[in-house]
Amino acid sequence: HKLKYDLQQQLREVEAHRMSPYDLQLGLDALNMQASQLESFADREINRKEEWKAKIKDIRESHGWMVEQLSRWRYHNDREAVEEAERNELFNRTKMPSSIIGALDDESQSLNRSANVMSNLIDTAGASFAELVAQRERMKGTQRKVLDMLTTLGVSSSTIRVIERRNVIDRVIVFGGMIVTLIFLFFLWRWVR
């Protein structure tokens, strides 16, 4: 987990242009190699095999997420470099007053920052949604076990129906909250553009 944490810190450094992305790529390759080694050890493990497989899955997911983030950063960074070169070429062709050039440059940078903020918001929302889906699956399993246990203990079916109705109401509340959040993000996105 220390290497995973270090790589997350390095990703922030790369995004802030304080570190080379190639150093981060080396760390990601090392994390991938360690995950492969852990898989071979887990295959030989007898007692806690499932526990190790869950940890390895978490490492693989983190690795995939960081590789995706690095790819996105490279894409945006390369695109910004191309835009900067095109902008410089256009500015060299036309002789505009420096005040207009400065204002246009400030506006462009502001738009780029806004786009980056929206991209981060969308990424965060996607990660939150994925966590909610995973949590829902865990809760389904727990619900099945509790209902089986209650049935075994002799709890009446009317009590179980009340519990199930409550789950439906909770689900409506969660989906309603998601829809309100999406509408809010949509209007925020429209307002920013």
Side-chain angles (χ1 to χ4, degrees):
H1 286 300
K2 181 177 180 350
L3 180 58
K4 185 172 98 172
Y5 175 77
D6 289 345
L7 289 173
Q8 288 172 343
Q9 294 299 323
Q10 288 177 5
L11 179 62
R12 289 188 191 102
E13 293 293 315
V14 167
E15 289 172 345
H17 298 284
R18 292 188 296 253
M19 182 178 170
S20 169
Y22 302 107
D23 294 337
L24 177 59
Q25 186 64 50
L26 290 174
L28 288 172
D29 292 342
L31 180 64
N32 191 33
M33 223 171 16
Q34 284 184 0
S36 297
Q37 289 172 349
L38 283 174
E39 282 177 340
S40 67
F41 291 138
D43 289 338
R44 288 185 244 140
E45 180 71 30
I46 296 172
N47 296 335
R48 298 177 1 192
K49 192 173 202 170
E50 293 304 316
E51 183 181 330
W52 279 104
K53 288 196 181 247
K55 288 180 182 180
I56 292 168
K57 181 182 177 195
D58 179 50
I59 291 172
R60 290 278 186 208
E61 288 173 355
S62 296
H63 175 266
W65 179 81
M66 282 188 269
V67 166
E68 181 181 327
Q69 293 301 313
L70 181 61
S71 296
R72 283 185 183 175
W73 180 84
R74 283 183 172 156
Y75 171 76
H76 289 295
N77 193 45
D78 292 346
R79 189 182 68 190
E80 287 173 3
V82 168
E83 288 173 358
E84 182 69 28
E86 290 174 350
R87 191 178 313 117
N88 287 337
E89 181 183 333
L90 286 173
F91 286 148
N92 288 336
R93 275 195 236 156
T94 60
K95 299 298 179 192
M96 285 195 250
S98 62
S99 61
I100 294 175
I101 293 172
L104 291 174
D105 190 39
D106 290 345
E107 183 178 346
S108 173
Q109 289 176 2
S110 175
L111 288 173
N112 285 338
R113 283 192 301 271
S114 297
N116 288 338
V117 167
M118 288 304 296
S119 177
N120 288 340
L121 282 173
I122 290 169
D123 291 343
T124 303
S128 296
F129 182 73
E131 274 300 314
L132 286 173
V133 168
Q135 184 180 17
R136 176 178 177 244
E137 293 302 318
R138 286 192 300 268
M139 292 303 286
K140 274 183 171 178
T142 304
Q143 178 187 13
R144 276 187 234 114
K145 289 178 185 176
V146 168
L147 289 176
D148 289 344
M149 184 177 65
L150 290 175
T151 304
T152 303
L153 291 175
V155 174
S156 71
S157 60
S158 63
T159 305
I160 292 174
R161 271 189 249 114
V162 168
I163 293 170
E164 288 176 346
R165 244 182 283 139
R166 175 64 191 259
N167 284 341
V168 169
I169 292 170
D170 289 348
R171 188 173 297 140
V172 168
I173 290 170
V174 167
F175 284 121
M178 285 185 205
I179 290 170
V180 168
T181 302
L182 284 175
I183 290 170
F184 173 75
L185 288 176
F186 175 74
F187 283 117
L188 180 66
W189 177 73
R190 292 281 305 240
W191 181 72
V192 169
R193 288 182 93 209

